[in-house]
Amino acid sequence: MTFNKWFIVLIIIKSGICWTPHSWKNKPSSQLPKYRNFQKLEQVETILSKKPPLVISPEIDNLRKELLEIEQGQRFLFMGGDCAETFREHSSQNIINNYQLFILSTIILMTQTGKKITKIARAAGQFSKPRSDSVEVVNGLQVPVYKGDMINREDKHNRQPDPYLMIRAYQQCSETLNLIRALSSSHKYSNININDWKTDFLSNIYQIDSLNEFLNQLQSSINLLSSAELENSGNINNAQLYTGHEGMLLHYEQAMTRKDRFTDKYYDCSAHFVWIGERTRQLDHGHVEFFRGINNPIGIKISHKIEPWELVDLIITLNPKNEQGKICLISRMGSQIENSLPDLIDIVQQQGLNVVWVCDPMHGNGKIVEGIKTRYYEDILKEVDSFFEIHYQKGTIPGGIHLEMTGNDVTECIGGKYLVKQKNKQFLQQNYL
């Protein structure tokens, strides 16, 4: 079936169907918490609906324009940040560290790709965690599974979902965005001291000699930008750092949705960019219903489990006008990428659908090693290489990459040429795992 026929079918299906920020409540929805006190939940939704938006529609529209350029191969998309934000780790220093990591990563991408870089931080909203099970066992005690600080608490004795946590999350998002905006408008590359970053690496974990060579090369790139008087250019220092998160908790996303007074379009003002997860992309469920009505650019996480026809239905449901800069397909396939991604690219091309292709090499490569969630650098790199190679073979545009990353020392991802792999394994397990 051609795109035009798909388009007609979807228009017929959706004609007469009214969308509102609340219409998702008429659909089944997975991954949502079961709040005990509905009155308290409604009170929180009302409070949030009256709060100032965290982002505004012109910023969201500007991101869509940049994503259009990415579709055309003129830009490259870099998404990154913590797996999930928490209340206990919230601090100015952590925000600054992660921001600087974004800046340094952007310099690398700019110098290696020769393209403008659009940056989306997994920040100021990445509080919800999808789970496969509703309960877990902690020290022999079966408790509701922890689903993120916006939903419930890590304390195994207090795991019931609490809607008031959404208000606390909003306050932290506001603080985070306030600092990010200040850094984006005033922070200078010259203030990033590579020597400070060198001292942050523990010599008994990292191969310092090799790492020093890389950091010195990075310093040379910074010096080049500075000597060319580019450090204050719009694309570098004052460039917009957009925010994005998985829009899992629909109660929060609905409460943060606003109608633009100039265009009458609805925007989810919790972030510039929101995405639907692998576990919440069912066509007849609440998440797709909510996402189809907002004017934000939308991400769709896809694994090897999605069928080509299912992907086409999903894209057309979320973007019936086939607008450019609207849909990002974020593949997270692990070792299955070479078997699955080519067919999906083919059908999207055949149907003439406008999308940005993005690689998430993190979420399809997790393993449980000695009871600990672990990712290996070699697996991550292999998926990235395959992603680019497949697109080059198909003649399509690999538009971006989506990474979990942090400015702190963690070892959920292990390996790589800079890490001392064997002799400090016991040290890593005792101190970081």
Side-chain angles (χ1 to χ4, degrees), residues 125-171:
Q126 185 58 26
F127 284 100
S128 303
K129 300 171 71 70
R131 298 298 195 188
S132 300
D133 301 309
S134 59
V135 297
E136 63 179 333
V137 177
V138 180
N139 297 330
L141 179 67
Q142 181 173 290
V143 297
V145 69
Y146 169 63
K147 293 178 70 70
D149 278 6
M150 184 184 280
I151 294 176
N152 59 3
R153 297 171 176 85
E154 290 181 281
D155 182 358
K156 66 180 180 180
H157 300 295
N158 188 15
R159 284 285 179 87
Q160 288 303 319
D162 181 355
Y164 284 149
L165 294 175
M166 286 188 276
I167 296 177
R168 183 174 176 185
Y170 169 86
Q171 292 170 340

Side-chain angles (χ1 to χ4, degrees), residues 84-102:
E85 296 172 275
T86 64
F87 297 150
R88 59 180 167 79
E89 295 176 319
H90 179 56
S91 70
S92 297
Q93 192 58 53
N94 276 342
I95 296 170
I96 292 171
N97 288 346
N98 288 336
Y99 178 82
Q100 288 189 332
L101 183 59
F102 244 102

Side-chain angles (χ1 to χ4, degrees), residues 15-211:
S15 61
I17 300 178
C18 180
W19 182 92
T20 71
H22 309 268
S23 59
W24 66 269
K25 292 185 175 180
N26 299 321
K27 304 273 188 176
S29 298
S30 61
Q31 296 293 330
L32 295 184
K34 296 180 180 179
Y35 292 107
R36 291 180 174 179
N37 190 324
F38 290 103
Q39 184 177 4
K40 184 187 292 186
L41 174 61
E42 291 178 353
Q43 180 185 39
V44 168
E45 290 178 346
T46 300
I47 291 172
L48 288 173
S49 70
K50 296 178 181 178
K51 293 285 187 182
L54 292 172
V55 302
I56 58 176
S57 57
E59 295 174 332
I60 297 171
D61 289 339
N62 194 60
L63 174 58
R64 287 192 58 171
K65 292 176 183 177
E66 293 189 17
L67 290 171
L68 187 154
E69 294 180 13
I70 292 170
E71 279 188 40
Q72 298 170 345
Q74 300 170 12
R75 282 180 170 268
F76 190 79
L77 176 62
F78 176 46
M79 301 178 63
D82 287 320
C83 172
E85 296 172 275
T86 64
F87 297 150
R88 59 180 167 79
E89 295 176 319
H90 179 56
S91 70
S92 297
Q93 192 58 53
N94 276 342
I95 296 170
I96 292 171
N97 288 346
N98 288 336
Y99 178 82
Q100 288 189 332
L101 183 59
F102 244 102
I103 297 300
L104 294 173
S105 301
T106 299
I107 295 173
I108 295 170
L109 288 171
M110 286 175 60
T111 56
Q112 296 299 314
T113 67
K115 293 182 179 180
K116 300 175 183 178
I117 307 300
T118 293
K119 303 177 286 297
I120 301 178
R122 289 170 58 106
Q126 185 58 26
F127 284 100
S128 303
K129 300 171 71 70
R131 298 298 195 188
S132 300
D133 301 309
S134 59
V135 297
E136 63 179 333
V137 177
V138 180
N139 297 330
L141 179 67
Q142 181 173 290
V143 297
V145 69
Y146 169 63
K147 293 178 70 70
D149 278 6
M150 184 184 280
I151 294 176
N152 59 3
R153 297 171 176 85
E154 290 181 281
D155 182 358
K156 66 180 180 180
H157 300 295
N158 188 15
R159 284 285 179 87
Q160 288 303 319
D162 181 355
Y164 284 149
L165 294 175
M166 286 188 276
I167 296 177
R168 183 174 176 185
Y170 169 86
Q171 292 170 340
Q172 180 168 317
C173 291
S174 180
E175 293 171 1
T176 299
L177 270 167
N178 183 56
L179 184 52
I180 287 176
R181 292 183 194 279
L183 293 170
S184 297
S185 63
S186 63
H187 191 72
K188 300 291 185 290
Y189 275 124
S190 57
N191 288 345
I192 299 180
N193 190 332
I194 294 297
N195 288 323
D196 290 341
W197 281 74
K198 290 180 182 180
T199 59
D200 287 340
F201 293 108
L202 299 180
S203 59
N204 47 5
I205 294 179
Y206 298 99
Q207 297 179 14
I208 296 300
D209 291 341
S210 298
L211 193 56

Side-chain angles (χ1 to χ4, degrees), residues 1-10 312 316 347-353:
M1 184 177 285
T2 65
F3 168 73
N4 288 334
K5 291 180 180 178
W6 279 112
F7 179 77
I8 292 171
V9 168
L10 262 296
V312 169
I316 296 175
I347 196 166
V348 167
Q349 291 295 102
Q350 291 167 9
Q351 301 299 325
L353 300 174

Side-chain angles (χ1 to χ4, degrees), residues 309-403:
W309 62 265
E310 185 182 7
L311 179 60
V312 169
D313 275 356
L314 190 55
I315 295 170
I316 296 175
T317 300
L318 295 171
N319 188 25
K321 296 181 181 179
N322 199 28
E323 299 175 24
Q324 290 185 295
K326 174 68 175 178
I327 300 293
C328 291
L329 297 182
I330 308 172
S331 63
R332 28 101 69 226
M333 298 180 174
S335 61
Q336 298 296 318
I337 186 170
E338 293 180 0
N339 297 326
S340 301
L341 185 59
D343 289 342
L344 299 179
I345 294 175
D346 286 344
I347 196 166
V348 167
Q349 291 295 102
Q350 291 167 9
Q351 301 299 325
L353 300 174
N354 294 313
V355 302
V356 173
W357 291 98
V358 180
C359 177
D360 172 3
M362 313 299 289
H363 291 88
N365 286 304
K367 296 179 174 67
I368 302 299
V369 179
E370 300 178 2
I372 299 168
K373 182 181 178 182
T374 305
R375 296 185 177 102
Y376 291 97
Y377 174 80
E378 291 79 7
D379 295 336
I380 294 169
L381 186 60
K382 183 177 179 181
E383 183 168 355
V384 173
D385 286 341
S386 296
F387 174 80
F388 280 91
E389 181 61 29
I390 290 168
H391 278 286
Y392 290 146
Q393 291 176 358
K394 295 290 183 182
T396 48
I397 295 172
I401 188 169
H402 180 144
L403 300 177

